[in-house]
Amino acid sequence: MNYISEDTIAAVATAPGVAGIGIIRLSGSDALQITDKIFKTAGGKSLDLVNAETHTIHYGFIYDGDEMIDEVLVSVMLAPRSYTTENTVEINCHGGPFVIRRVLQTVIRNGARPAEPGEFTKRAFLNGRIDLTEAESVMDLIASGNEFARKNSLKTLRGSIYNEIHDLRDRIIHETAFIESALDDPEHYSLDGYPDELHKNVVELKNEIESMLSHADDGKILSEGINTCLVGKPNVGKSSLLNLLAGEDKAIVTDVPGTTRDAVEVKIQFGGLTLNMMDTAGIRDTNDTVEKIGVEKSRNAINNSDLILFVLDSSSKLEDDDIEIFDSINGKNCIIILNKSDLDPVLTVDKIHEMTDAPVVVVSARNEDGMEDLLHLVREMFLKGEISNNDQVYITNERQLSELRHVNDSLSLVLRSIEDGMTEDFFTVDLMDAYDRLGSVIGEETGDDLADRIFSEFCMGK
Ligand SMILES: Nc1nc2c(ncn2[C@@H]2O[C@H](COP(=O)(O)OP(=O)(O)OP(=O)(O)O)[C@@H](O)[C@H]2O)c(=O)[nH]1
Ligand SMILES: [Mg+2]
């Protein structure tokens, strides 16, 4: 690609707020010339950056006119060996927000233009240094909320998705090329038996895409967390379990039934999974106005969660309130937790199995027993593959996923055409559609609109 940006852009590349240093980044044909105008020795002499070697660091001072603003280090990265592939300068100044803003203003007054969000990465993409999945993973990396999300974005950034998609595209174009050749030159290429072979190959392609799509759900769950609620009668130990899982006292625990009235939300890291956990008021009939509202929230939580943890006190018999909850969880993703296993058991696992098909786990919040079993059940329910420490790349970006789903649909149409005994030229239309859509996953042959939309979602300075 030969995208040459005339204008030089500048932005603060570090996070807002007070920090040790702040970095102002410039990229474009005049990055060095602009810096030269404001970057000098303590005595005000030019440091002649235009003649600097690439990947060197220079010590000096930023001046606004005659006024010295800050003592800085300036890094020079010459085209094409920089993030954007353009001439790039990074000014490391002191981290106070006023200093940083002042330096940026000075840079802009001297000829740079303020960068739009994501514009540095957009240039890296337009200049062909990174593909679209990599660009999007830069954005995801910046926004990543936990360790899994960070690692996964980093893997994408290293181009794993690109390689996989590229391979799929190669295989598709191979088929269309063969069909076109055979139609053009039937003497040399025979289509005898070809539909069967194509059918086999397309089924393989679809299997790989479907595996990516199903792992995507895992990826989403790993990076965004499972919306989970703890429900049950008052006093069964919901808040105790929440505190145990959170590793700290997030919710009040007492032996008074009806302790929790408002929903308490906590993000819990649980054996590599993130649970967006909500503790709710114990469900029962009550005349207390405040508690009533809490109970209503609990009922809503049952309908709005990915996972319901229904807690029962194993030391007491089932009551009407329990039965009502059993009815309301019907058909939902639910795990039954038999708590207080340290006390004499009244309620058995067999009894629960009579009530529901949902899996049951026996725990004691008091003795901290059974948490491993619970984790095991959650993993079994939500993750299709083995997750930790493998090399699987999870596509979690919604745009990429939706393109992949379309690819899968197009390939289904190819299979249908083959099965219906259509002629070969029918296959190529849908094959090419799949090919194009795979291209837009990685940003090959994308229109400007798409690039603009994606890069405008970036944060400033990246
Ligand atoms: N023996 C025993 N007691 C427990 C266990 N878990 C909780 N408790 C006790 O049960 C009582 C109620 O616990 P909570 O965690 O407040 O129960 P809850 O379900 O949140 O109750 P509400 O907020 O009123 O709906 C407290 O006295 C806890 O100490 C357990 O595993 N074993
Ligand atoms: Mg509670």
Side-chain angles (χ1 to χ4, degrees), residues 123 214 289 310 331 403 408:
R123 287 187 176 192
S214 75
T289 323
F310 176 15
E403 295 290 1
N408 206 24

Side-chain angles (χ1 to χ4, degrees), residues 234-240 254 258-260 282 339-340 342 364-366:
N235 236 17
V236 293
K238 299 179 294 298
S239 301
S240 304
T254 72
T259 302
T260 307
N339 188 33
K340 309 199 185 182
D342 51 294
S364 162
R366 173 151 302 166

